[in-house]
Amino acid sequence: VNARLYGFGISNSTQTAKLLLRFKGIDATFVELRPLMYPLVLRLLGFQRGTVPALKLDDRRIDGSLEIAQALEAIVPEPPLYPADPERRRAVEEAERWGEAELQMVTRRVARWALAHSNASRVRVMREFEVPLPLLMATLHGPIARRAARRAGADEASVRQDLTDLRATLDRVDVLIANGVIGDPDAPNAADFQIAPSVRGLGCLSDLTPLVEGRPCDALARRLLPDAWQLPAQLLPPHQLAAAGL
Ligand SMILES: N[C@@H](CCC(=O)N[C@@H](CS)C(=O)NCC(=O)O)C(=O)O
């Protein structure tokens, strides 16, 4: 098959699509989109949703990480993304849907709000990544960051709730591992690939690393995604970190 994946590197759902393609042994061309214009670019390319990941598979256009998993499973059944046993399969599908609909959004809201809520946070990121003219670039990126946060529904209150619930959210992933739904190194499944990037993304926010580090879900995320960026500390303000018990 001819596969072309549109996405961007730091996006959790793009990482899911990359893991799925690699697992199925499909050598896709990766097209890295720029954060500002990509919803429009994707629509011009004929995709419906304007979100990443978006996959062109021969003549088909597939939006969304869940849909990509299903399409790949249909054209390349081996190795399987879902267990053969019906009960185990239901558990994996449920975990995958939770990872896609809820966990992904936690990482997305927290990360986008961290960049949107203060110029000082953006300056820290620009400095960390040695972007030239960090003060100017942080200011210029303010409107982009705020719009991205709004699109994800990330505001003061939703992020406070995400942080209040964060330990319980990570516990839920650890329970999935303890119950054998995900985390088998010899037979990773669609839920592993859906959940790991969002856990990895939370751990990469240095403010939150202490909450993630050392957990079974952290080990799983690091095993599947050994290379990751690390964002500097103090992107989230103290009152929000207090909501997470930090
Ligand atoms: N649940 C969808 C979510 C995809 C999604 O929202 N991706 C983000 C990037 S991580 C995006 O493209 N957002 C579009 C926007 O901000 O307008 C999936 O797994 O494919």
Side-chain angles (χ1 to χ4, degrees), residues 163-243:
L163 292 171
T164 304
D165 297 342
L166 196 57
R167 284 171 205 267
T169 302
L170 295 168
D171 285 346
R172 184 163 174 171
V173 182
D174 286 343
V175 168
L176 289 171
I177 296 172
N179 292 343
V181 178
I182 59 172
D184 179 350
D186 299 322
N189 60 50
D192 285 271
F193 298 137
Q194 181 60 249
I195 289 171
S198 295
V199 173
R200 193 77 170 107
L202 289 166
C204 288
L205 284 160
S206 295
D207 290 323
L208 302 181
T209 305
L211 281 188
V212 183
E213 220 169 29
R215 284 175 172 266
C217 62
D218 187 38
L220 168 64
R222 286 174 187 271
R223 181 157 50 71
L224 290 180
L225 299 150
D227 306 315
W229 39 276
Q230 185 76 24
L231 287 179
Q234 295 171 30
L235 297 187
L236 293 163
H239 71 276
Q240 290 283 36
L241 292 175

Coordinates of all heavy atoms in Angstrom, one line a residue, residues 163-243:
L163 N -6.3 18.5 36.4 CA -5.2 18.3 37.3 C -5.7 17.7 38.7 O -5.0 16.9 39.3 CB -4.4 19.7 37.6 CG -3.7 20.2 36.3 CD1 -3.2 21.6 36.5 CD2 -2.6 19.2 35.9
T164 N -6.9 18.1 39.1 CA -7.4 17.5 40.3 C -7.6 16.0 40.1 O -7.4 15.2 41.0 CB -8.8 18.2 40.6 OG1 -8.6 19.6 40.7 CG2 -9.4 17.6 41.9
D165 N -8.0 15.6 38.9 CA -8.3 14.2 38.6 C -7.0 13.4 38.1 O -7.1 12.2 37.8 CB -9.3 14.1 37.5 CG -10.7 14.7 37.9 OD1 -10.9 14.9 39.1 OD2 -11.5 15.0 37.0
L166 N -5.9 14.1 38.0 CA -4.8 13.5 37.3 C -4.3 12.2 37.9 O -4.0 11.2 37.2 CB -3.6 14.5 37.2 CG -2.6 14.1 36.1 CD1 -3.2 13.9 34.8 CD2 -1.5 15.1 36.1
R167 N -4.2 12.1 39.3 CA -3.7 10.9 39.9 C -4.7 9.7 39.6 O -4.3 8.6 39.2 CB -3.6 11.0 41.4 CG -2.4 11.8 41.8 CD -2.4 12.1 43.3 NE -1.6 13.3 43.6 CZ -0.3 13.3 43.9 NH1 0.3 12.1 44.1 NH2 0.3 14.4 44.2
A168 N -6.0 10.1 39.7 CA -7.0 9.0 39.4 C -6.9 8.6 37.9 O -7.1 7.4 37.6 CB -8.4 9.5 39.7
T169 N -6.7 9.5 37.0 CA -6.6 9.2 35.6 C -5.4 8.3 35.4 O -5.6 7.3 34.6 CB -6.4 10.5 34.8 OG1 -7.5 11.4 35.1 CG2 -6.4 10.3 33.3
L170 N -4.3 8.6 36.0 CA -3.1 7.7 35.8 C -3.3 6.4 36.5 O -2.9 5.3 36.0 CB -1.8 8.4 36.3 CG -1.4 9.7 35.6 CD1 -0.4 10.5 36.3 CD2 -0.9 9.4 34.2
D171 N -4.0 6.4 37.6 CA -4.3 5.1 38.3 C -5.1 4.2 37.4 O -5.0 3.0 37.3 CB -5.2 5.4 39.6 CG -4.4 5.9 40.7 OD1 -3.1 5.9 40.7 OD2 -5.0 6.4 41.7
R172 N -6.0 4.9 36.6 CA -6.9 4.1 35.7 C -6.0 3.3 34.7 O -6.3 2.2 34.3 CB -7.9 5.0 35.0 CG -8.9 4.3 34.2 CD -10.1 5.1 33.8 NE -10.9 4.4 32.9 CZ -12.1 4.8 32.5 NH1 -12.6 5.9 33.0 NH2 -12.8 4.1 31.6
V173 N -5.0 4.0 34.2 CA -4.1 3.4 33.2 C -3.3 2.2 33.9 O -3.2 1.1 33.4 CB -3.1 4.4 32.6 CG1 -2.2 3.6 31.5 CG2 -3.9 5.5 31.9
D174 N -2.9 2.5 35.1 CA -2.1 1.5 35.9 C -3.0 0.2 36.1 O -2.5 -0.9 36.1 CB -1.6 2.0 37.2 CG -0.4 3.0 36.9 OD1 0.2 2.9 35.8 OD2 -0.1 3.7 37.8
V175 N -4.3 0.5 36.4 CA -5.2 -0.7 36.6 C -5.4 -1.5 35.3 O -5.4 -2.7 35.3 CB -6.6 -0.2 37.1 CG1 -7.7 -1.3 37.0 CG2 -6.5 0.3 38.5
L176 N -5.5 -0.8 34.1 CA -5.5 -1.5 32.9 C -4.3 -2.4 32.7 O -4.4 -3.5 32.2 CB -5.6 -0.5 31.7 CG -6.9 0.3 31.5 CD1 -6.8 1.4 30.5 CD2 -8.1 -0.7 31.2
I177 N -3.1 -1.9 33.1 CA -1.9 -2.7 33.0 C -2.0 -3.9 34.0 O -1.7 -5.0 33.6 CB -0.7 -1.8 33.3 CG1 -0.6 -0.7 32.2 CG2 0.6 -2.6 33.3 CD1 0.5 0.3 32.5
A178 N -2.4 -3.6 35.2 CA -2.5 -4.7 36.2 C -3.4 -5.8 35.8 O -3.2 -6.9 36.1 CB -2.9 -4.1 37.6
N179 N -4.5 -5.4 35.1 CA -5.5 -6.4 34.6 C -5.1 -7.0 33.3 O -5.9 -7.8 32.8 CB -6.9 -5.7 34.5 CG -7.4 -5.3 35.9 OD1 -6.9 -5.8 36.9 ND2 -8.4 -4.4 35.9
G180 N -4.0 -6.7 32.8 CA -3.5 -7.3 31.5 C -4.2 -6.8 30.3 O -4.1 -7.4 29.2
V181 N -5.0 -5.7 30.4 CA -5.7 -5.2 29.2 C -4.7 -4.6 28.3 O -4.7 -4.8 27.0 CB -6.8 -4.2 29.6 CG1 -7.5 -3.6 28.3 CG2 -7.8 -4.8 30.5
I182 N -3.7 -3.9 28.8 CA -2.6 -3.3 28.0 C -1.3 -3.7 28.8 O -1.3 -4.2 29.9 CB -2.7 -1.8 27.9 CG1 -2.7 -1.1 29.3 CG2 -4.0 -1.4 27.1 CD1 -2.6 0.5 29.2
G183 N -0.2 -3.4 28.1 CA 1.1 -3.5 28.7 C 1.9 -4.8 28.5 O 3.0 -5.0 29.0
D184 N 1.3 -5.7 27.6 CA 2.1 -6.9 27.3 C 3.2 -6.5 26.3 O 2.9 -6.2 25.1 CB 1.1 -8.0 26.7 CG 1.9 -9.3 26.4 OD1 3.1 -9.3 26.4 OD2 1.2 -10.3 26.1
P185 N 4.5 -6.6 26.7 CA 5.5 -6.2 25.7 C 5.6 -7.1 24.5 O 6.0 -6.6 23.4 CB 6.8 -6.3 26.5 CG 6.5 -7.1 27.8 CD 5.0 -7.1 28.0
D186 N 5.1 -8.3 24.6 CA 5.1 -9.2 23.4 C 3.9 -9.1 22.5 O 4.0 -9.6 21.4 CB 5.2 -10.7 23.9 CG 6.5 -10.9 24.7 OD1 7.5 -10.3 24.4 OD2 6.4 -11.6 25.8
A187 N 2.9 -8.5 23.0 CA 1.7 -8.4 22.2 C 1.0 -7.1 22.5 O -0.1 -7.0 23.0 CB 0.7 -9.6 22.4
P188 N 1.6 -6.0 22.1 CA 0.9 -4.7 22.3 C -0.3 -4.6 21.4 O -0.4 -5.2 20.4 CB 2.0 -3.6 21.8 CG 2.9 -4.4 20.9 CD 2.9 -5.8 21.4
N189 N -1.3 -3.9 21.9 CA -2.6 -3.8 21.1 C -3.0 -2.4 20.9 O -2.3 -1.5 21.2 CB -3.7 -4.6 21.9 CG -4.0 -4.0 23.3 OD1 -4.1 -2.8 23.4 ND2 -4.0 -4.9 24.3
A190 N -4.2 -2.2 20.2 CA -4.6 -0.9 19.8 C -4.7 0.1 21.0 O -4.4 1.3 20.9 CB -5.9 -1.0 19.1
A191 N -5.1 -0.5 22.2 CA -5.2 0.4 23.4 C -3.8 0.9 23.9 O -3.7 2.0 24.3 CB -6.0 -0.3 24.5
D192 N -2.8 0.0 23.8 CA -1.5 0.4 24.2 C -1.1 1.6 23.3 O -0.5 2.6 23.9 CB -0.5 -0.7 23.9 CG -0.5 -1.9 24.9 OD1 0.2 -1.8 25.9 OD2 -1.2 -2.8 24.6
F193 N -1.3 1.5 22.0 CA -0.8 2.5 21.1 C -1.6 3.8 21.3 O -1.2 4.9 21.0 CB -0.9 2.0 19.7 CG 0.0 0.8 19.4 CD1 -0.4 -0.3 18.6 CD2 1.3 0.8 19.9 CE1 0.4 -1.3 18.4 CE2 2.1 -0.3 19.7 CZ 1.7 -1.4 19.0
Q194 N -2.9 3.7 21.7 CA -3.7 4.9 21.9 C -3.3 5.6 23.2 O -3.3 6.8 23.3 CB -5.2 4.4 21.9 CG -6.2 5.6 22.1 CD -6.1 6.6 21.0 OE1 -5.7 7.7 21.3 NE2 -6.5 6.3 19.8
I195 N -3.1 4.8 24.3 CA -2.9 5.4 25.6 C -1.5 5.9 25.8 O -1.3 7.0 26.4 CB -3.4 4.4 26.6 CG1 -4.9 4.2 26.6 CG2 -2.9 4.7 28.0 CD1 -5.5 3.1 27.4
A196 N -0.5 5.1 25.4 CA 0.9 5.5 25.7 C 1.3 6.9 25.4 O 1.9 7.6 26.2 CB 1.9 4.5 25.1
P197 N 1.0 7.4 24.2 CA 1.4 8.8 23.8 C 0.9 9.8 24.7 O 1.5 10.8 25.0 CB 0.9 9.0 22.4 CG 0.9 7.6 21.8 CD 0.4 6.7 23.0
S198 N -0.4 9.7 25.2 CA -0.9 10.7 26.1 C -0.3 10.7 27.5 O -0.1 11.7 28.1 CB -2.5 10.5 26.2 OG -3.1 10.7 25.0
V199 N 0.1 9.5 28.0 CA 0.8 9.4 29.2 C 2.2 10.0 29.1 O 2.7 10.8 29.9 CB 0.9 7.9 29.7 CG1 1.8 7.8 30.9 CG2 -0.5 7.3 30.0
R200 N 2.8 9.7 27.9 CA 4.2 10.2 27.7 C 4.1 11.7 27.6 O 5.0 12.4 28.2 CB 4.7 9.6 26.3 CG 6.1 9.8 26.1 CD 7.0 8.9 26.9 NE 8.4 8.9 26.5 CZ 9.3 9.4 27.2 NH1 9.1 10.0 28.4 NH2 10.6 9.4 26.8
G201 N 3.1 12.3 27.0 CA 2.9 13.7 26.9 C 2.8 14.4 28.2 O 3.4 15.4 28.5
L202 N 2.1 13.8 29.1 CA 1.9 14.4 30.5 C 3.3 14.3 31.2 O 3.7 15.3 31.9 CB 0.9 13.6 31.3 CG -0.6 13.8 30.8 CD1 -1.5 12.7 31.4 CD2 -1.1 15.2 31.2
G203 N 4.0 13.2 31.1 CA 5.3 13.1 31.8 C 6.3 14.0 31.2 O 7.3 14.4 31.9
C204 N 6.1 14.4 30.0 CA 7.1 15.4 29.3 C 6.9 16.8 29.8 O 7.8 17.6 29.5 CB 7.0 15.3 27.8 SG 7.7 13.7 27.2
L205 N 5.8 17.1 30.5 CA 5.7 18.4 31.1 C 6.4 18.3 32.4 O 5.9 17.7 33.3 CB 4.2 18.7 31.3 CG 3.4 19.1 30.1 CD1 1.9 18.9 30.3 CD2 3.7 20.6 29.7
S206 N 7.5 19.0 32.5 CA 8.4 18.8 33.7 C 7.6 19.0 35.0 O 7.9 18.4 36.0 CB 9.6 19.7 33.7 OG 10.4 19.2 32.6
D207 N 6.6 20.0 35.0 CA 5.8 20.2 36.2 C 5.1 19.0 36.7 O 4.8 18.8 37.9 CB 4.7 21.3 35.9 CG 5.4 22.7 35.7 OD1 6.3 23.0 36.3 OD2 4.8 23.4 34.8
L208 N 4.7 18.1 35.7 CA 3.9 17.0 36.1 C 4.7 15.7 36.2 O 4.2 14.6 36.6 CB 2.8 16.8 35.1 CG 1.8 18.0 34.9 CD1 0.8 17.6 33.9 CD2 1.2 18.3 36.3
T209 N 6.0 15.7 35.8 CA 6.9 14.5 35.8 C 6.8 13.8 37.1 O 6.7 12.5 37.1 CB 8.3 14.9 35.4 OG1 8.3 15.6 34.2 CG2 9.2 13.6 35.3
P210 N 6.8 14.5 38.3 CA 6.8 13.7 39.5 C 5.6 12.9 39.7 O 5.6 11.9 40.4 CB 6.9 14.8 40.6 CG 7.3 16.1 39.9 CD 7.0 15.9 38.5
L211 N 4.5 13.3 39.1 CA 3.2 12.5 39.3 C 3.2 11.2 38.4 O 2.6 10.3 38.7 CB 2.0 13.3 38.9 CG 1.5 14.3 39.8 CD1 0.2 14.9 39.3 CD2 1.2 13.6 41.2
V212 N 4.0 11.3 37.3 CA 3.9 10.2 36.3 C 5.1 9.2 36.5 O 4.9 8.0 36.4 CB 4.0 10.8 34.9 CG1 3.9 9.7 33.8 CG2 3.0 11.9 34.7
E213 N 6.2 9.8 36.9 CA 7.5 9.0 37.0 C 7.3 7.8 37.9 O 6.8 7.9 39.0 CB 8.5 9.9 37.6 CG 9.9 9.8 37.1 CD 10.8 11.0 37.6 OE1 10.5 11.5 38.7 OE2 11.7 11.3 36.8
G214 N 7.9 6.7 37.5 CA 7.9 5.5 38.4 C 6.6 4.7 38.3 O 6.6 3.6 38.9
R215 N 5.6 5.1 37.7 CA 4.4 4.4 37.6 C 4.5 3.3 36.5 O 5.2 3.5 35.5 CB 3.2 5.3 37.2 CG 2.7 6.1 38.3 CD 1.6 7.0 37.7 NE 0.9 7.8 38.8 CZ -0.2 7.3 39.3 NH1 -0.8 6.2 39.0 NH2 -0.8 8.1 40.3
P216 N 3.7 2.2 36.6 CA 3.7 1.3 35.5 C 3.4 1.9 34.1 O 3.9 1.6 33.1 CB 2.6 0.3 35.9 CG 2.6 0.4 37.4 CD 2.9 1.8 37.7
C217 N 2.4 2.9 34.2 CA 2.1 3.5 32.9 C 3.2 4.4 32.3 O 3.3 4.5 31.1 CB 0.8 4.4 33.0 SG 0.9 5.8 34.2
D218 N 4.1 4.9 33.2 CA 5.3 5.6 32.7 C 6.2 4.6 32.0 O 6.8 4.9 30.9 CB 5.9 6.3 33.9 CG 7.1 7.2 33.4 OD1 6.9 7.9 32.4 OD2 8.1 7.3 34.1
A219 N 6.4 3.5 32.6 CA 7.3 2.5 32.0 C 6.8 2.1 30.6 O 7.6 1.9 29.7 CB 7.5 1.3 32.9
L220 N 5.5 1.8 30.5 CA 4.9 1.5 29.3 C 5.1 2.6 28.2 O 5.5 2.3 27.1 CB 3.4 1.2 29.4 CG 2.5 1.0 28.2 CD1 3.0 -0.2 27.4 CD2 1.1 0.9 28.5
A221 N 4.8 3.8 28.6 CA 4.9 4.9 27.7 C 6.4 5.1 27.2 O 6.6 5.3 26.0 CB 4.4 6.2 28.3
R222 N 7.3 4.9 28.1 CA 8.7 5.1 27.7 C 9.2 4.0 26.9 O 10.1 4.2 26.0 CB 9.6 5.2 29.0 CG 9.5 6.5 29.7 CD 10.3 6.4 31.0 NE 10.0 7.6 31.8 CZ 10.7 8.7 31.7 NH1 11.8 8.8 30.9 NH2 10.4 9.8 32.4
R223 N 8.7 2.8 27.1 CA 9.1 1.6 26.3 C 8.6 1.8 24.8 O 9.3 1.6 23.9 CB 8.5 0.3 26.9 CG 8.9 -0.9 26.1 CD 8.8 -2.2 27.0 NE 7.5 -2.3 27.7 CZ 6.3 -2.6 27.1 NH1 6.3 -2.8 25.8 NH2 5.3 -2.7 27.8
L224 N 7.3 2.3 24.7 CA 6.8 2.5 23.3 C 7.3 3.7 22.6 O 7.4 3.8 21.4 CB 5.3 2.5 23.3 CG 4.6 1.1 23.6 CD1 3.1 1.2 23.6 CD2 5.1 0.0 22.6
L225 N 7.6 4.7 23.5 CA 8.1 6.0 22.9 C 9.4 6.5 23.6 O 9.3 7.4 24.5 CB 7.0 7.1 23.1 CG 5.7 6.7 22.4 CD1 4.5 7.3 23.1 CD2 5.7 7.2 21.0
P226 N 10.5 5.8 23.3 CA 11.7 6.1 24.1 C 12.2 7.6 23.8 O 12.8 8.2 24.8 CB 12.7 5.1 23.6 CG 12.1 4.4 22.4 CD 10.6 4.7 22.4
D227 N 12.0 8.1 22.7 CA 12.5 9.5 22.4 C 11.3 10.4 22.6 O 10.3 10.3 22.0 CB 13.0 9.6 21.0 CG 14.0 8.5 20.6 OD1 14.9 8.3 21.5 OD2 13.9 7.9 19.6
A228 N 11.5 11.4 23.4 CA 10.5 12.4 23.6 C 11.1 13.8 24.0 O 12.2 13.8 24.5 CB 9.5 12.0 24.6
W229 N 10.4 14.8 23.6 CA 10.9 16.1 24.0 C 10.5 16.3 25.5 O 9.8 15.5 26.1 CB 10.1 17.2 23.2 CG 8.7 16.8 23.0 CD1 8.2 16.0 22.0 CD2 7.5 17.1 23.8 NE1 6.9 15.8 22.1 CE2 6.4 16.5 23.2 CE3 7.4 17.9 24.9 CZ2 5.1 16.6 23.7 CZ3 6.1 18.0 25.4 CH2 5.0 17.4 24.9
Q230 N 11.1 17.3 26.2 CA 10.8 17.6 27.6 C 10.6 19.1 27.7 O 11.4 19.8 27.3 CB 12.0 17.1 28.4 CG 11.8 17.2 29.9 CD 10.9 16.2 30.5 OE1 10.7 15.1 30.0 NE2 10.2 16.5 31.6
L231 N 9.4 19.4 28.1 CA 9.1 20.9 28.3 C 9.7 21.3 29.6 O 9.7 20.6 30.6 CB 7.7 21.1 28.2 CG 7.1 21.0 26.7 CD1 5.6 21.3 26.8 CD2 7.8 22.0 25.8
P232 N 10.1 22.6 29.7 CA 10.7 23.1 31.0 C 9.6 23.2 32.1 O 8.4 23.2 31.8 CB 11.2 24.5 30.6 CG 10.4 24.9 29.4 CD 10.1 23.6 28.7
A233 N 10.1 23.3 33.3 CA 9.3 23.4 34.5 C 8.7 24.8 34.5 O 9.1 25.7 33.8 CB 10.1 23.1 35.8
Q234 N 7.7 25.0 35.5 CA 7.1 26.3 35.7 C 6.3 26.8 34.5 O 6.2 28.0 34.3 CB 8.1 27.3 36.2 CG 8.7 27.0 37.5 CD 9.8 27.9 37.9 OE1 9.9 29.0 37.5 NE2 10.8 27.4 38.6
L235 N 5.7 25.9 33.7 CA 4.8 26.3 32.7 C 3.4 26.4 33.3 O 2.5 27.2 32.8 CB 4.7 25.3 31.5 CG 6.0 25.1 30.8 CD1 5.8 24.3 29.6 CD2 6.7 26.5 30.4
L236 N 3.1 25.7 34.3 CA 1.8 25.7 35.0 C 2.0 26.5 36.3 O 2.9 26.4 37.0 CB 1.3 24.3 35.3 CG 0.9 23.5 34.1 CD1 0.9 22.0 34.4 CD2 -0.4 23.9 33.4
P237 N 1.0 27.4 36.6 CA 1.1 28.2 37.8 C 0.9 27.5 39.0 O 0.2 26.4 39.0 CB 0.0 29.3 37.6 CG -1.0 28.7 36.7 CD -0.2 27.7 35.8
P238 N 1.5 27.9 40.2 CA 1.4 27.2 41.4 C -0.1 26.8 41.8 O -0.3 25.7 42.3 CB 2.0 28.2 42.5 CG 2.9 29.1 41.7 CD 2.2 29.2 40.3
H239 N -1.0 27.7 41.6 CA -2.4 27.3 42.0 C -3.0 26.1 41.3 O -3.7 25.3 41.8 CB -3.3 28.5 42.0 CG -3.7 28.9 40.6 ND1 -2.9 29.8 39.8 CD2 -4.8 28.6 39.8 CE1 -3.5 30.0 38.7 NE2 -4.7 29.3 38.6
Q240 N -2.5 26.0 40.0 CA -3.0 24.8 39.2 C -2.3 23.6 39.7 O -2.9 22.5 39.8 CB -2.8 25.1 37.7 CG -3.7 26.1 37.1 CD -5.1 25.6 36.9 OE1 -5.7 24.9 37.7 NE2 -5.8 26.1 35.8
L241 N -1.0 23.7 39.9 CA -0.2 22.6 40.4 C -0.7 22.1 41.7 O -0.8 20.9 42.0 CB 1.3 22.9 40.5 CG 1.9 23.1 39.1 CD1 3.4 23.5 39.2 CD2 1.8 21.8 38.3
A242 N -1.2 23.0 42.5 CA -1.8 22.6 43.9 C -3.0 21.8 43.7 O -3.2 20.9 44.5 CB -2.1 23.9 44.7
A243 N -3.7 22.0 42.6 CA -4.9 21.1 42.3 C -4.5 19.7 42.1 O -5.3 18.8 42.4 CB -5.7 21.6 41.1

